[in-house]
Amino acid sequence: MPDTYDVIVLGLGAMGAAATYQLAKRGAKVLGIDQYAPPHEFGSTHGDTRITRIACGEGPEYSAFAARSHEIWRELEAETGLDLLTQNGYLAISGAGQRSANHGVARFLDATVAAAKSAKVSYELLDSAALRQRYPALNIVEGDAAYHDTVSGFVRPERCVEAQLKTAAALGADLALNEKVVSFTQDGSSVTVKTDKDTYRASQLIVAAGAWLPGMLKPDLASRFMVTRQVLYWFRARSEDAHALFSPERFPVYIWQLPAPQSIYGFPATGGLEDGVKLATEQYDVATTPEQVSRTVGPDEVREMYETYVEPFFPGLSPTCVRHKVCLYTWVDGARFVIDRHPDFQRVIVASPCSGHGFKHSAGVGELLAEMVTSDRKPDPLFAFS
Ligand SMILES: Cc1cc2nc3c(=O)[nH]c(=O)nc-3n(C[C@H](O)[C@H](O)[C@H](O)COP(=O)(O)OP(=O)(O)OC[C@H]3O[C@@H](n4cnc5c(N)ncnc54)[C@H](O)[C@@H]3O)c2cc1C
């Protein structure tokens, strides 16, 4: 491998794989570096599925990234033959008197409707009677109401990373896997990146290090990011008939603001009865690091999840948890993203679009990152994620 590049991408998870692919497509001489061999299970981009929605209750400024990502994934599907995106619809459910805040937005359901209008996404509103009739898998609470659209659905994170890295390599990108970056510095017109194996130079560096990012920043910058442990669960349905109620043909992805301490989100069944049905809550109370996080899930944790969030609301799911995974959020206040030049190194771009909802935007974010370095496209001063 040469030791001088147009661009180095540090981290080849969701954002770094997307940026590397877009850079290779534009003919840039690009090196992607990762301490593991993505896709892997140590960061934020694993667990089979991610919700994608264009009408984002987090704010209308996110929609363009999700919409563009859908187009890119369809292009990649055509190029690679991989199945990446399923548009089986999305429900945002909330009820009177229930917690209505989600991802830092006080009235998430209303904000989703506003975002749909702004992004010109067709949608319908459903009352509790309509929800009960259409989705018997859910124990809908009287008074619940929902937003529903059909352009949303789920995307396969590991396959997206794999497709983008393979295509990038085929287009000429160099990938240094199982190689850990230990430092980067800017000197004059180039950036020097040292790893545990080698030293590389490039005109520009994109840092897409996910949950490892805070460890690479000075304390005043690092303190803007909080890494939290999240757990994904797959519970087995009680019978084949109960499992069938979760099939993607009849069951959408959802975010449900339950009468419980946390809201829940989930997916249709993507496999057979023994593969279970995936769902999860979110926690922001305890900060951690990728090095310190507990990656095991104990029986008490599973039992609490089942008794508080699954049994009361999903009558067809049994207490048998067939699988669980620990995953990391990199949280920015207000569930925001950070995509900007490093304040001390203008040749370094930091990309941290996570806060628990970044994957759906990743292909479009990769395109923006590539354009920021190759065409000097500068997000305007009011760019939402500066
Ligand atoms: C449980 C869970 C559920 C989620 N659900 C959704 C959802 O439904 N919808 C949605 O849109 N989003 C969702 N998200 C968010 C989404 O998955 C993240 O926004 C996205 O995966 C973040 O990607 P990333 O590239 O920033 O991080 P990662 O994919 O973790 O990539 C960072 C990479 O940097 C590498 N790296 C770090 N430090 C170094 C170093 N020193 N040297 C070399 N390599 C290094 C790591 O090895 C890693 O591969 C969820 C996240 C989690 C954890």
Side-chain angles (χ1 to χ4, degrees), residues 159-179:
R159 284 186 206 162
C160 289
V161 168
E162 185 193 332
Q164 290 171 114
L165 291 182
K166 271 195 180 154
T167 313
L171 290 167
D174 284 337
L175 304 180
L177 306 181
N178 300 308
E179 190 164 333

Short mmCIF file of all heavy atoms in Angstrom, two decimals, residues 159-179:
data_model
loop_
_atom_site.label_atom_id
_atom_site.label_comp_id
_atom_site.label_asym_id
_atom_site.label_seq_id
_atom_site.Cartn_x
_atom_site.Cartn_y
_atom_site.Cartn_z
N ARG A 159 -25.04 -5.87 6.33
CA ARG A 159 -24.95 -6.04 4.88
C ARG A 159 -24.60 -4.72 4.19
O ARG A 159 -23.90 -4.71 3.18
CB ARG A 159 -26.28 -6.55 4.32
CG ARG A 159 -26.50 -8.00 4.58
CD ARG A 159 -27.77 -8.44 3.86
NE ARG A 159 -28.37 -9.57 4.52
CZ ARG A 159 -29.62 -9.95 4.35
NH1 ARG A 159 -30.42 -9.28 3.53
NH2 ARG A 159 -30.10 -11.00 4.98
N CYS A 160 -25.11 -3.61 4.71
CA CYS A 160 -24.80 -2.30 4.10
C CYS A 160 -23.31 -2.01 4.22
O CYS A 160 -22.67 -1.57 3.27
CB CYS A 160 -25.58 -1.18 4.77
SG CYS A 160 -27.34 -1.23 4.40
N VAL A 161 -22.75 -2.27 5.41
CA VAL A 161 -21.31 -2.04 5.61
C VAL A 161 -20.51 -2.94 4.66
O VAL A 161 -19.60 -2.48 3.95
CB VAL A 161 -20.92 -2.30 7.09
CG1 VAL A 161 -19.41 -2.36 7.26
CG2 VAL A 161 -21.52 -1.22 7.98
N GLU A 162 -20.89 -4.21 4.62
CA GLU A 162 -20.18 -5.17 3.76
C GLU A 162 -20.25 -4.75 2.30
O GLU A 162 -19.24 -4.72 1.58
CB GLU A 162 -20.83 -6.54 3.95
CG GLU A 162 -20.17 -7.67 3.25
CD GLU A 162 -21.08 -8.91 3.24
OE1 GLU A 162 -21.92 -9.09 4.15
OE2 GLU A 162 -20.95 -9.70 2.29
N ALA A 163 -21.45 -4.37 1.85
CA ALA A 163 -21.65 -4.00 0.43
C ALA A 163 -20.81 -2.78 0.08
O ALA A 163 -20.17 -2.73 -0.98
CB ALA A 163 -23.13 -3.72 0.16
N GLN A 164 -20.80 -1.80 0.98
CA GLN A 164 -20.07 -0.56 0.67
C GLN A 164 -18.55 -0.79 0.70
O GLN A 164 -17.83 -0.26 -0.15
CB GLN A 164 -20.48 0.55 1.63
CG GLN A 164 -21.91 1.01 1.34
CD GLN A 164 -22.46 1.95 2.38
OE1 GLN A 164 -22.72 3.10 2.12
NE2 GLN A 164 -22.64 1.45 3.58
N LEU A 165 -18.07 -1.59 1.66
CA LEU A 165 -16.63 -1.83 1.72
C LEU A 165 -16.15 -2.67 0.54
O LEU A 165 -15.11 -2.39 -0.06
CB LEU A 165 -16.24 -2.49 3.05
CG LEU A 165 -16.38 -1.60 4.29
CD1 LEU A 165 -15.93 -2.34 5.54
CD2 LEU A 165 -15.58 -0.30 4.14
N LYS A 166 -16.93 -3.69 0.19
CA LYS A 166 -16.54 -4.53 -0.96
C LYS A 166 -16.52 -3.71 -2.24
O LYS A 166 -15.61 -3.82 -3.05
CB LYS A 166 -17.54 -5.69 -1.12
CG LYS A 166 -17.15 -6.90 -0.33
CD LYS A 166 -17.94 -8.11 -0.81
CE LYS A 166 -17.53 -9.32 0.00
NZ LYS A 166 -18.58 -10.32 0.07
N THR A 167 -17.55 -2.90 -2.43
CA THR A 167 -17.63 -2.10 -3.65
C THR A 167 -16.52 -1.07 -3.67
O THR A 167 -15.90 -0.83 -4.71
CB THR A 167 -19.02 -1.44 -3.77
OG1 THR A 167 -20.01 -2.43 -3.50
CG2 THR A 167 -19.27 -0.88 -5.16
N ALA A 168 -16.24 -0.46 -2.52
CA ALA A 168 -15.16 0.53 -2.45
C ALA A 168 -13.83 -0.13 -2.82
O ALA A 168 -13.04 0.42 -3.60
CB ALA A 168 -15.08 1.11 -1.04
N ALA A 169 -13.58 -1.33 -2.27
CA ALA A 169 -12.31 -2.02 -2.58
C ALA A 169 -12.24 -2.34 -4.07
O ALA A 169 -11.19 -2.18 -4.71
CB ALA A 169 -12.19 -3.29 -1.74
N ALA A 170 -13.37 -2.77 -4.64
CA ALA A 170 -13.37 -3.08 -6.08
C ALA A 170 -13.09 -1.83 -6.91
O ALA A 170 -12.54 -1.91 -8.01
CB ALA A 170 -14.72 -3.69 -6.47
N LEU A 171 -13.46 -0.67 -6.37
CA LEU A 171 -13.22 0.60 -7.09
C LEU A 171 -11.81 1.15 -6.81
O LEU A 171 -11.48 2.23 -7.27
CB LEU A 171 -14.27 1.63 -6.67
CG LEU A 171 -15.70 1.39 -7.16
CD1 LEU A 171 -16.69 2.28 -6.42
CD2 LEU A 171 -15.79 1.63 -8.66
N GLY A 172 -11.03 0.46 -5.99
CA GLY A 172 -9.64 0.87 -5.79
C GLY A 172 -9.30 1.38 -4.40
O GLY A 172 -8.15 1.76 -4.16
N ALA A 173 -10.26 1.42 -3.49
CA ALA A 173 -9.94 1.87 -2.12
C ALA A 173 -9.04 0.84 -1.44
O ALA A 173 -9.19 -0.36 -1.64
CB ALA A 173 -11.23 2.04 -1.32
N ASP A 174 -8.09 1.32 -0.65
CA ASP A 174 -7.29 0.43 0.20
C ASP A 174 -7.97 0.32 1.56
O ASP A 174 -8.43 1.34 2.11
CB ASP A 174 -5.87 0.98 0.38
CG ASP A 174 -5.03 0.77 -0.86
OD1 ASP A 174 -5.34 -0.14 -1.66
OD2 ASP A 174 -4.05 1.53 -1.05
N LEU A 175 -8.01 -0.88 2.12
CA LEU A 175 -8.61 -1.08 3.44
C LEU A 175 -7.56 -1.70 4.35
O LEU A 175 -7.00 -2.75 4.04
CB LEU A 175 -9.83 -2.01 3.34
CG LEU A 175 -10.95 -1.57 2.38
CD1 LEU A 175 -12.08 -2.59 2.39
CD2 LEU A 175 -11.47 -0.18 2.74
N ALA A 176 -7.29 -1.04 5.45
CA ALA A 176 -6.36 -1.58 6.45
C ALA A 176 -7.22 -2.05 7.63
O ALA A 176 -7.71 -1.24 8.41
CB ALA A 176 -5.38 -0.51 6.89
N LEU A 177 -7.43 -3.37 7.71
CA LEU A 177 -8.31 -3.92 8.75
C LEU A 177 -7.49 -4.49 9.89
O LEU A 177 -6.30 -4.80 9.72
CB LEU A 177 -9.22 -4.99 8.15
CG LEU A 177 -10.04 -4.53 6.93
CD1 LEU A 177 -10.93 -5.66 6.41
CD2 LEU A 177 -10.88 -3.29 7.25
N ASN A 178 -8.12 -4.61 11.05
CA ASN A 178 -7.43 -5.08 12.25
C ASN A 178 -6.18 -4.25 12.52
O ASN A 178 -5.12 -4.77 12.89
CB ASN A 178 -7.09 -6.58 12.12
CG ASN A 178 -8.34 -7.41 11.94
OD1 ASN A 178 -9.28 -7.30 12.74
ND2 ASN A 178 -8.40 -8.20 10.89
N GLU A 179 -6.31 -2.96 12.29
CA GLU A 179 -5.19 -2.03 12.48
C GLU A 179 -5.74 -0.82 13.25
O GLU A 179 -6.69 -0.17 12.80
CB GLU A 179 -4.66 -1.61 11.09
CG GLU A 179 -3.38 -0.85 11.15
CD GLU A 179 -2.67 -0.78 9.78
OE1 GLU A 179 -2.84 -1.68 8.93
OE2 GLU A 179 -1.94 0.19 9.58
#
